[in-house]
Amino acid sequence: AAQMKIQKSGYIFNLASRSAIYGRPELGGYAASKFGLRGFNQSLAFELAPLGIKVTAIHPGWVATDMTADVSVPPEEMIQVSDITDMVVSLLALSPYACVRDILIEPVAALPLQHRKPCQA
């Protein structure tokens, strides 16, 4: 942030988790750390906005990585790393006056059964 303050522009992305919004049984410590990151993100966003610096927290559900290898959802039905990077590229393309503070991105497999169909654009 120091260099961004000097140049009066920039964009900070904090990769949090769905657990920053929705706690889960037996994951209290993990959720607490992610809730903390979300609070930090909000404070940082308000602190840096007057300097032209945007701050966004991304809250993904299951992402197909080594961390989710033991989840019962097949990796191809999880969020792909490219989904997150594509979203970051899209946010970077917004006008200087548009700011997105939080993004929750969930795999379709996390939705209730009646809604578990791939989304169509």
Side-chain angles (χ1 to χ4, degrees):
Q3 182 60 40
M4 292 180 193
K5 287 179 180 180
I6 292 168
Q7 65 194 26
K8 301 219 181 288
S9 67
Y11 210 136
I12 296 172
F13 294 95
N14 287 305
L15 188 57
S17 168
R18 181 183 188 279
S19 293
I21 299 170
Y22 303 107
R24 293 186 57 192
E26 300 178 20
L27 291 174
Y30 181 76
S33 71
K34 298 306 178 179
F35 268 81
L37 179 56
R38 186 172 186 212
F40 173 71
N41 187 82
Q42 290 175 354
S43 295
L44 197 59
F46 287 118
E47 177 183 331
L48 298 177
L51 301 174
I53 302 166
K54 297 180 184 183
V55 181
T56 298
I58 300 171
H59 307 287
W62 298 313
V63 180
T65 64
D66 292 344
M67 184 177 168
T68 57
D70 295 333
V71 173
S72 62
V73 176
E76 62 274 7
E77 293 183 19
M78 294 183 187
I79 298 163
Q80 302 303 303
V81 172
S82 61
D83 293 328
I84 295 171
T85 58
D86 290 347
M87 185 172 37
V88 167
V89 169
S90 295
L91 291 171
L92 290 170
L94 294 175
S95 78
Y97 302 102
C99 185
V100 177
R101 297 280 186 230
D102 289 279
I103 291 182
L104 171 63
I105 179 171
E106 297 184 292
V108 172
L111 300 173
L113 286 174
Q114 67 270 26
H115 300 290
R116 288 189 189 182
K117 297 176 186 170
C119 298
Q120 301 297 320

